[in-house]
Amino acid sequence: MSSTFNGLEVARRALTTQQSALYTTGHNIANANTEGYTRQRVNFEQTGPYPPASRNRPEIPGQVGSGVQAGSIERVRDQFLDKQYRSENAKLGYYDSKASAMEQMQSIMNEPTEQGLSKTMDRFWQSLQDLATNKDEGSRAVAVQRGTAVAETFNYVSDSLNSERSNLQEEMNVTKKEINSLVRQINNLNKQIGDIEPHGLVPNDLYDERDRCIDKLSGLVNINVSYESSGGQPSAIAQGKATITLADGQGKDTDTTLIDASSGEYKHMEIGLDDEQNVEQFNFTTIDKDGNETSTDSIAAADFSSQGKMKALMESNGYIDGGEAVGEYPDMLEELNFLARNLAAALNEVHSQGIDANGDPGQEFFVIDDTDNAAASITVSEAIKEDSDLIAVSANGDSGNGENALAMAEAMRKKGVGDLGQNSSIQTYYEGIIGEMAVVAQEAERMQGNATVLRDQVDENRQSVSAVSLDEEMTNMIKFQHAYNAAARNMTTVDEMLDRIINNMGLVGR
């Protein structure tokens, strides 16, 4: 049989429960603009009912309700949307970084502009054409200056590409530190959550902080996340400790577990570079729960398929695949070196067949000090720069003959020169390089746009579930306020009823 004062207890429970809901609503409103905050709700639960009061009542509960209680405070979150968001975030991190690197390369190549290598070679070709008809000192000086401009443009582009590679390497180091920092933070949050959950508590704020770190990590490398129980007597809505595994290009788990929730171990990433600063491998050092390094696993750069910012930086900077350096910047540098070697060889061969103004055979017009870095080391011969009469303009030694200058000009437009191939001239080969770069850059930019739309769309869906809606919170606030007021009125009514019983009953006839 329920107590005479049961009504007061029911009203008290209603008051405290509605008060909890109002406090939670206030917490949501206060964190409406907090990054990574997930809105919370109070799960109302009916308290155990009592049997009705009667002489022969059966011992069956569930007849008279005893009120309500705040069962738990739960985050409103959808793990399926989290998984979608992190997958799309990894793609966006990859294409964002790729598009940025290609944009920087395009600005360095500076084509098509008046200052680009293509236009500079055009001017050199035109100066040789002019020199074939006007062999005076002025035309010779112009040809030397135009040739010097071609060499200096090669030098500038090569130096700028190498400088940008240094920036990419620095960015890889920063990204690596960010990955290691996030992994360490998530592992520490796992420990804190693992200490709280066994007692039946739900650390919602720690969950939010951990999800925020995981979201950031997903933009750097592609990851898969699973959860394991913390043990003890956790709440039914406890999320558990997170195990994070590196995912491959198809989103499947690899053998590299960045955070192992069951053992408390985590891994730190290091980047292995060769002498040419190409990425050879990624090393993952396991650190146990006491902070000791126990073992190191390696993934070859060519096998590192986890899509994200780190992979895009590796591909742009260059990495070792099958013993050779590949990547956008190494490939472009190698193409420029190849072009510079063939340009110098073709011009020098024709120049050596001519006769200069002193009646001597032509010497080397272009000089390359380092064949492997031809674009960075190509220059016009110092002797020719000091004395333009050393340009072998004539084919037979006659002062009026300019056929060799014409032959030099033709060598720049002639197909099948050197190792360029039967269908390529110096000019068309360079145009092919620029065209290929433009296609890669355009594709990266297009995919960046697509990835942005998809990531934003998933994020919008996720925010519609997890973010704080001030309109909805205001509605909830009014709803809980009315319920609180009604509970207070109920308590007053019960109080008046009890007052009647206690102070006014049994006074008949007095």
Side-chain angles (χ1 to χ4, degrees), residues 27-145:
H27 185 55
N28 287 339
I29 293 171
N31 287 283
N33 296 317
T34 303
E35 181 188 359
Y37 177 77
T38 304
R39 71 187 175 97
Q40 300 174 3
R41 70 180 175 203
V42 177
N43 292 324
F44 287 15
E45 294 178 356
Q46 290 181 337
T47 52
Y50 293 108
S54 63
R55 288 176 180 272
N56 57 349
R57 61 180 173 83
E59 295 298 334
I60 301 174
Q63 305 303 311
V64 178
S66 61
V68 68
Q69 65 178 1
S72 61
I73 299 177
E74 182 181 16
R75 297 189 310 155
V76 182
R77 204 164 179 106
D78 188 331
Q79 288 194 6
F80 177 67
L81 290 175
D82 282 342
K83 182 176 177 58
Q84 279 189 317
Y85 174 85
R86 287 160 189 163
S87 175
E88 296 301 331
N89 199 34
K91 293 175 187 173
L92 178 58
Y94 175 81
Y95 287 113
D96 206 21
S97 182
K98 175 81 79 176
S100 176
M102 293 308 300
E103 183 182 4
Q104 190 62 27
M105 181 186 286
Q106 283 185 306
S107 67
I108 291 172
M109 299 308 293
N110 205 19
E111 299 286 358
T113 66
E114 291 294 313
Q115 292 76 37
L117 182 58
S118 179
K119 191 67 178 178
T120 307
M121 288 194 293
D122 273 350
R123 293 192 181 110
F124 181 47
W125 174 83
Q126 185 63 51
S127 70
L128 292 174
Q129 291 272 353
D130 295 342
L131 186 58
T133 54
N134 300 312
K135 305 159 194 68
D136 55 17
E137 186 176 349
S139 297
R140 287 175 178 274
V142 169
V144 171
Q145 290 301 320

Side-chain angles (χ1 to χ4, degrees), residues 83 86-87 90 179 183 186 213-226 243-248 251-253 256 258 306-307:
K83 182 176 177 58
R86 287 160 189 163
S87 175
I179 290 172
V183 167
I186 294 168
C213 292
I214 293 174
D215 286 348
K216 281 190 174 181
L217 182 62
S218 69
L220 307 179
V221 288
N222 196 12
I223 53 174
N224 285 331
V225 184
S226 58
T243 291
I244 297 181
T245 308
L246 205 63
D248 62 15
K252 298 178 180 176
D253 284 346
T256 304
L258 295 177
S306 182
Q307 208 169 30

Side-chain angles (χ1 to χ4, degrees), residues 388-445:
S388 60
D389 286 343
L390 296 181
I391 299 177
V393 178
S394 172
N396 54 16
D398 293 343
S399 59
N401 185 291
E403 292 181 359
N404 203 52
L406 273 179
M408 290 174 66
E410 289 175 3
M412 297 186 67
R413 299 291 172 90
K414 184 180 176 182
K415 291 184 178 179
V417 173
D419 299 325
L420 297 179
Q422 293 300 316
N423 298 319
S424 297
S425 67
I426 292 170
Q427 189 74 19
T428 58
Y429 189 84
Y430 181 66
E431 290 172 356
I433 296 172
I434 297 301
E436 188 175 342
M437 176 194 69
V439 169
V440 174
Q442 187 180 35
E443 180 67 9
E445 190 175 345

